[in-house]
Amino acid sequence: MAYARAGRSEEARKLFAALESAPKGPDGLFLMAWVGTALGENEKALRLLEGAVAEPDFLPGDLEWEHLDPLRTDPRFQELQRRVVRRMEEKLAAA
């Protein structure tokens, strides 16, 4: 992420490629989406976020990070936010 923000996109892309072969899970998918967003890879970032949100351990506050601002106007991102809120509401209602 820092590489991409510092204009060092080659290094950021190498990191991104390395992360693609690393074990996933909500944190790994979210981190990859974060780096993808910084690189302007919004399509890939949204696919990765969809995977992260599908994980039961995904933390809803993660979608509020300012680093994801370039995705906020995309209807798919907005649907991800709605899905996360619905899941949290269902968990609270079941408690």
Side-chain angles (χ1 to χ4, degrees):
M1 178 66 180
Y3 286 140
R5 289 192 168 245
R8 298 171 59 185
S9 59
E10 186 175 329
E11 290 96 334
R13 289 187 190 287
K14 286 179 185 176
L15 173 62
F16 194 60
L19 287 172
E20 286 183 307
S21 63
K24 304 297 185 279
D27 294 338
L29 292 167
F30 180 76
L31 177 60
M32 288 178 61
W34 189 18
V35 174
T37 302
L39 289 170
E41 300 276 346
N42 292 354
E43 292 297 318
K44 189 177 271 192
L46 283 164
R47 283 194 308 274
L48 291 162
L49 280 175
E50 285 183 7
V53 166
E55 296 282 337
D57 296 334
F58 182 77
L59 298 174
D62 287 348
L63 291 180
E64 300 304 317
W65 285 28
E66 67 184 42
H67 307 297
L68 299 177
D69 285 353
L71 305 177
R72 292 199 193 286
T73 59
D74 190 299
R76 294 168 294 176
F77 184 84
Q78 294 166 5
E79 177 56 30
L80 286 174
Q81 288 180 307
R82 283 190 289 274
R83 225 183 311 164
V84 168
V85 167
R86 272 195 308 271
R87 184 166 60 200
M88 290 307 297
E89 289 172 345
E90 289 169 0
K91 283 183 179 183
L92 289 172

